[in-house]
Amino acid sequence: MEKWGLADTGCESIAIDRRTGGTSAAATGYRRGVSADPPQRAVEVRRSARRRRTVSAYREGDRTVVLIPARMSEAEERRWVGVMLDKLAAQESKRTLGDTELTERAERLSEQYFTGRARPRSVRWVTNQNTRWGSCTPAEGSIRLSHRLQGMPEYVVDYVLLHELAHLLVPGHGPRFWELLEAYPRTERARGYLEGIVAAERLPKVPAARGE
């Protein structure tokens, strides 16, 4: 029995104080008017002279509104829009999908990117995959996703689902496999996100100074 997997390699709003809550998340794929979030949700950036330190964002219908200080540079704007899009996506993903919803999501992704050719019989969360993000058993048509993905941005979960769906069509990780995943526009960004998580987990733990 062959098993393939991806190894470790609403109105939502959120606000961050730039002095205390900053992150180094990249704004890859962002440009004014188009979000990095699928399905191509429009982004509106609003500058305010009264806003000094905080950056906030919220969903408004089919668009995302990002509020920033008026004096922020364009480079800072791009970086912070990327940060806020990822924060919102992660916040929304915390509303954990059940196995039924996960299966429906996989079916939608298959229709969108693989013309419905990948047809899983089951898609579910598992808690026993700590060295891989997902796995697939083509003979059974079963896909399993690690519970560690829960809370990550939606585009990352979608990438892992598509990775496992692709294994229903092509075993192994040869050229044909990666050609399938090229259809998903955020493959490289999602892979970079997961690689960053793995790299962070491998960093040596620095002991806290005495008295901290």
Side-chain angles (χ1 to χ4, degrees), residues 134-151:
S135 62
C136 169
T137 305
E140 299 176 354
S142 61
I143 290 174
R144 297 160 298 280
L145 264 57
S146 171
H147 71 288
R148 294 185 302 148
L149 289 164
Q150 295 172 350

Side-chain angles (χ1 to χ4, degrees), residues 2 19 24 26 41 99 108 120 126 147 153 195 208:
E2 287 191 298
R19 296 193 308 178
S24 60
R41 180 182 276 123
D99 290 348
R108 288 197 300 271
V126 294
H147 71 288
E195 288 169 2

Side-chain angles (χ1 to χ4, degrees), residues 90-126:
Q91 185 181 71
E92 290 166 351
S93 291
K94 287 181 180 178
R95 299 193 303 269
T96 305
L97 298 174
D99 290 348
T100 299
E101 291 84 1
L102 200 61
T103 300
E104 293 172 350
R105 187 164 172 174
E107 291 172 351
R108 288 197 300 271
L109 289 169
S110 177
E111 288 290 341
Q112 183 174 358
Y113 295 102
F114 301 152
T115 63
R117 290 177 295 144
R119 299 180 181 278
R121 294 192 185 95
S122 68
V123 185
R124 59 191 177 90
W125 297 107
V126 294

Side-chain angles (χ1 to χ4, degrees), residues 14 16 21-23 25 81-92 153:
I14 192 166
I16 296 178
T23 79
V81 167
V83 169
M84 302 311 287
L85 291 177
D86 277 351
K87 291 284 186 181
L88 275 175
Q91 185 181 71
E92 290 166 351

Side-chain angles (χ1 to χ4, degrees), residues 123-135:
V123 185
R124 59 191 177 90
W125 297 107
V126 294
T127 58
N128 61 351
Q129 290 189 158
N130 294 316
T131 60
R132 58 178 61 196
W133 300 113
S135 62

